[in-house]
Amino acid sequence: MRAEIVSMTADNLDENAIARAGEILKKGGLVAFPTETVYGLGGDALNPLSSKKIYAAKGRPSDNPLIIHIADMDSLDRIVKEVPEKAMLLAEKFWPGPLTMIFQKSDQVPMETTGGLDSVAVRFPSDGVAAALIRAAGGYVAAPSANTSGRPSPTTAEHVEEDLGDAIDMIIDGGAVGIGLESTIVDFTEEVPVVLRPGYISLEMLKAVLGEVRMDKGLISPDSKIHPKAPGMKYRHYAPKAELSIVEGETEAVTEAINRFALAAEEREEQIGIIATEETFSRYPRGIVKCIGSREEEETIAHNLYEVLREFDQCQVSEIYSEAFYTPRMGQAIMNRLLKAAGHKIIHVQGEK
Ligand code: TXA
Ligand code: MG
């Protein structure tokens, strides 16, 4: 079976297709849909069989819990035990939006959806198409990113089709997403709220509302024996087929080093891939060079990261080298994804960043 593809935007909803998509979900089928972060692979969150289908379609380990997407605040009570006051503050500030919060789950949420955990991740997306679909489906849509497990998350409907076109019932094409990296996850099941995954909403933005907030230790020292608390963060993710390394240091030293790798590859009659920025693009005369965005507009780097990683899978490159992107606001989220894609291979060159 090939997924049916329907196109629409939030300003121009296809009500008919939304109603059909809602029916598919209510009957236990799977529908991929756009959100402001990445495309999601939706199933009925309260139906254990739907969650099982999601894991199967993605090839995802079933101990890796799903996020439940809601479309209004009143839906929250049914799926969680309680909502701490601080979480309400965050909801007021950032919902609907690219924020996921984790609470103790209620009995209504099947263990299949939470990967066997007593807690549940909840997100209230701002995308209008997502909201319409969630309402049509009865209010609770479980959705991981709509990629095959281990591949970069999808930022267009074409990416979804590439990975899951044969495994699901429908794909709603709402065009390219806005942000391009998955939501920030904050865990409220501990005394002090903990960031389990960095995203568009930065640690500083969270601190401004919450005061005290920690980063999960497994994120800070990913090479150590401490596992991240979000089960999904322990897997090697987003990985392109060619081996990816990050080259870090002063711009001058970074471009020189990458150009040396490019020359060495040419001498072996191979080509390397290079992830550059608008600011450095013209400094690389060899290799297949892709511009990820501008350091002056860091949102562009976040927006294009997964697309660039996917594009390299279509190219004949022996390895890929990327500059590092410790940009002021989204740098933490961008580097978290890039480091995972690179399996934490970093080449330090002379000089500091
Ligand atoms: O932006 C997003 O969050 C996208 C869109 C589709 O909403 N969704 C997404 O879902 O990124 P997924 O499944 O690819 O990533 C969810 C992450 C995983 O790392 C998972 O382990 C973690 O959230 N997670 C979910 N429930 C959890 C829980 N109860 N406790 C700890 N981690 C949890
Ligand atoms: Mg994912």
Side-chain angles (χ1 to χ4, degrees):
M1 178 200 61
R2 197 74 196 158
E4 178 191 354
I5 300 175
V6 296
S7 300
M8 69 183 82
T9 60
D11 297 333
N12 203 354
L13 284 179
D14 179 343
E15 300 285 357
N16 199 296
I18 288 287
R20 273 190 296 123
E23 282 309 309
I24 292 174
L25 292 176
K26 282 180 177 165
K27 286 190 183 133
L30 303 182
V31 176
F33 61 99
T35 82
E36 67 276 26
T37 56
V38 299
Y39 271 75
L41 171 57
D44 178 354
L46 305 184
N47 179 350
L49 296 179
S50 297
S51 295
K52 281 189 174 169
K53 265 198 197 167
I54 291 177
Y55 291 115
K58 274 181 68 89
R60 172 171 174 147
S62 58
D63 67 347
N64 188 1
L66 308 174
I67 297 174
I68 300 188
H69 294 66
I70 56 173
D72 56 65
M73 281 305 282
D74 293 342
S75 302
L76 197 52
D77 282 352
R78 182 162 166 209
I79 52 173
V80 305
K81 278 214 174 114
E82 65 172 337
V83 180
E85 220 170 285
K86 291 209 161 163
M88 281 310 295
L89 292 178
L90 272 199
E92 276 162 28
K93 178 94 179 157
F94 297 117
W95 271 1
L99 171 72
T100 296
M101 292 195 266
I102 296 180
F103 307 109
Q104 289 303 330
K105 81 173 192 70
S106 77
D107 296 340
Q108 301 265 318
V109 181
M111 282 292 187
E112 282 80 358
T113 301
T114 64
L117 297 177
D118 293 328
S119 57
V120 62
V122 189
R123 178 155 117 74
F124 181 171
S126 62
D127 184 280
V129 176
L133 176 70
I134 296 163
R135 285 194 200 102
Y140 302 95
V141 173
S145 48
N147 52 288
T148 301
S149 199
R151 292 214 72 203
S153 294
T155 54
T156 65
E158 287 74 29
H159 297 163
V160 179
E161 202 191 347
E162 232 169 71
D163 283 13
L164 301 174
D166 285 327
I168 64 179
D169 300 293
M170 190 191 259
I171 299 172
I172 303 181
D173 183 350
V177 300
I179 295 173
L181 296 181
E182 306 87 340
S183 59
T184 305
I185 303 181
V186 184
D187 181 7
F188 279 95
T189 63
E190 296 188 26
E191 275 290 300
V192 177
V194 188
V195 176
L196 302 190
R197 181 172 72 185
Y200 178 86
I201 295 171
S202 65
L203 189 64
E204 287 63 37
M205 288 157 84
L206 296 170
K207 273 190 183 149
V209 179
L210 296 175
E212 201 180 359
V213 48
R214 297 197 288 110
M215 282 297 270
D216 183 21
K217 285 201 185 72
L219 289 180
I220 300 165
S221 48
D223 278 335
S224 75
K225 300 236 160 14
I226 308 167
H227 282 303
K229 189 170 175 194
M233 300 297 280
K234 71 175 182 262
Y235 297 108
R236 177 154 181 245
H237 246 204
Y238 322 120
K241 288 174 190 149
E243 192 156 302
L244 169 68
S245 305
I246 300 167
V247 187
E248 194 179 285
E250 225 171 63
T251 310
E252 208 56 43
V254 168
T255 50
E256 266 173 34
I258 293 179
N259 280 328
R260 271 200 309 278
F261 297 135
L263 184 60
E266 244 180 44
E267 284 164 0
R268 298 192 305 267
E269 292 187 5
E270 288 179 341
Q271 252 190 329
I272 63 164
I274 300 172
I275 302 181
T277 54
E278 272 173 32
E279 289 79 6
T280 56
F281 188 76
S282 62
R283 297 195 197 187
Y284 299 107
R286 295 186 176 78
I288 298 182
V289 192
K290 295 205 184 279
C291 179
I292 191 172
S294 164
R295 286 176 192 276
E296 296 296 310
E297 287 171 78
E298 51 179 312
E299 287 78 11
T300 58
I301 298 177
H303 184 264
N304 296 327
L305 175 62
Y306 290 144
E307 167 90 28
V308 166
L309 292 178
R310 274 178 186 260
E311 279 177 8
F312 271 123
D313 283 348
Q314 314 293 330
C315 302
Q316 284 298 324
V317 291
S318 53
E319 62 252 47
I320 306 167
Y321 294 92
S322 177
E323 297 175 4
F325 309 106
Y326 292 100
T327 56
R329 213 183 54 72
M330 288 190 76
Q332 213 165 32
I334 296 167
M335 288 309 292
N336 168 267
R337 309 310 194 273
L338 192 62
L339 280 160
K340 277 163 70 108
H344 292 277
K345 279 185 302 299
I346 305 181
I347 299 166
H348 295 275
V349 291
Q350 206 194 356
E352 266 315 297
K353 49 177 191 263

